[in-house]
Amino acid sequence: MRSYSPDLTPPWKKSTPAPEVPAEPDPDLVVEEVSTGFCGAVVRCEKTAEGPTVTLEDRFGKHRVFPLLPGGFLLDGRVVTLVRPTAAGPARPTRTASGSVAVPGARARVARAGRIYVEGRHDAELVEKVWGDDLRVEGVVVEYLGGIDDLPAVVAEFGPAPDARLGVLVDHLVPGSKESRIAAAVTGPDVLVVGHPYIDVWEAVKPSSVGIPGWPSVPRGEDWKTGVCRALGWPENTGAAWQHILSRVRTYRDLEPALLGRVEELIDFVTVGGDA
């Protein structure tokens, strides 16, 4: 008969398995790989010939792939084991990136006659990323100006009317500026021009979301975007810099209130009093 020897190891010396965390692609699931110190959000989990792997994206947009080893990651300073997600996948989001209630399965509405214009491609891409779902449900099309100087001609050609309102978002709209004078000249019952105080829409993204202490001051007369890249030690490639900034924007929480309110105001303006 086999004898039984009790385990006399004190409880505080017994090792316990690390808790398991599903490696769901989620910008808020940020972990650190214990052997390299690489820290990033989970963007992908795959089955490979060598075993399951997880892809992490750091705050600069760099991707690295790691095996799903037991106790291989830190989450909020605690050792965890990442595991493959269940087949069911993540729950359907109940909110859009703008914070609105999501409408699952909703089709894009036929475009309204009304339009929203923004000052530049970067502004348009940011608005699309955060408010895109809302705009499609409402049937609102966003276009961008080549520059604020083009606005009077755009308004004249558009021909605003009660059932075809025009909303315009302008960068650096402050009293006494050229932008404010142009805005005043075109504003009317069916044209609403609003703006934010930032030199460029880059500044409307919260520094904490980008992973910087703050947006640097750029000497007057120097190209602002290039100066920002130089001050932050980024390559002086403004297109690549913008893509990095945009990649850090997930929801309205990553944007400054001064921009949020203005975009919501424009959407309300162009969707009142007219149908598609």
Side-chain angles (χ1 to χ4, degrees):
M1 183 176 179
R2 186 171 60 183
S3 62
Y4 171 71
S5 298
D7 183 359
L8 300 179
T9 305
W12 60 87
K13 289 189 176 181
K14 292 182 179 180
S15 61
T16 57
E20 294 185 347
V21 176
E24 300 278 9
D26 184 346
D28 293 324
L29 179 56
V30 178
V31 298
E32 178 182 340
E33 203 278 328
V34 295
S35 63
T36 63
F38 186 88
C39 186
V42 174
V43 296
R44 186 165 50 254
C45 186
E46 298 175 299
K47 181 180 180 181
T48 70
E50 291 75 27
T53 64
V54 64
T55 301
L56 304 181
E57 179 186 39
D58 71 6
R59 63 190 181 93
F60 300 107
K62 182 180 179 181
H63 286 197
R64 287 191 63 176
V65 180
F66 299 98
L68 295 184
L69 299 178
F73 300 87
L74 295 176
L75 176 61
D76 296 330
R78 183 182 61 167
V79 176
V80 298
T81 297
L82 293 184
V83 296
R84 293 183 65 200
T86 61
R92 184 186 298 273
T94 58
R95 296 278 175 178
T96 66
S98 72
S100 301
V101 176
V103 184
R107 293 184 178 182
R109 180 174 178 164
V110 175
R112 293 174 179 269
R115 290 287 187 276
I116 291 176
Y117 274 82
V118 297
E119 194 182 354
R121 180 171 57 84
H122 292 179
D123 304 63
E125 290 175 345
L126 185 61
V127 169
E128 163 60 28
K129 186 160 188 180
V130 176
W131 288 275
D133 290 339
D134 308 65
L135 293 168
R136 280 181 282 279
V137 169
E138 294 290 349
V140 178
V141 174
V142 174
E143 302 185 28
Y144 66 88
L145 301 165
I148 187 64
D149 292 332
D150 298 334
L151 184 55
V154 167
V155 173
E157 182 179 355
F158 184 83
D163 60 348
R165 287 180 156 189
L166 182 62
V168 184
L169 179 68
V170 177
D171 293 343
H172 201 226
L173 188 61
V174 294
S177 64
K178 176 185 74 172
E179 289 83 1
S180 66
R181 291 191 294 273
I182 294 175
V186 301
T187 297
D190 302 310
V191 180
L192 175 65
V193 181
V194 299
H196 56 73
Y198 309 112
I199 295 173
D200 189 273
V201 78
W202 288 20
E203 280 192 297
V205 180
K206 291 180 178 177
S208 58
S209 297
V210 184
I212 59 176
W215 291 105
S217 297
V218 176
R220 193 176 184 87
E222 181 178 352
D223 178 72
W224 189 83
K225 293 176 183 176
T226 302
V228 166
C229 292
R230 187 176 298 130
L232 294 175
W234 294 351
E236 293 181 22
N237 181 331
T238 58
W242 168 244
Q243 290 307 312
H244 166 63
I245 295 167
L246 187 63
S247 73
R248 309 310 298 174
V249 176
R250 273 101 183 195
T251 72
Y252 71 97
R253 294 185 180 90
D254 295 307
L255 303 181
E256 299 287 0
L259 176 67
L260 293 174
R262 302 296 74 73
V263 175
E264 298 286 352
E265 187 178 354
L266 290 177
I267 293 174
D268 289 344
F269 179 78
V270 300
T271 55
V272 170
D275 290 318

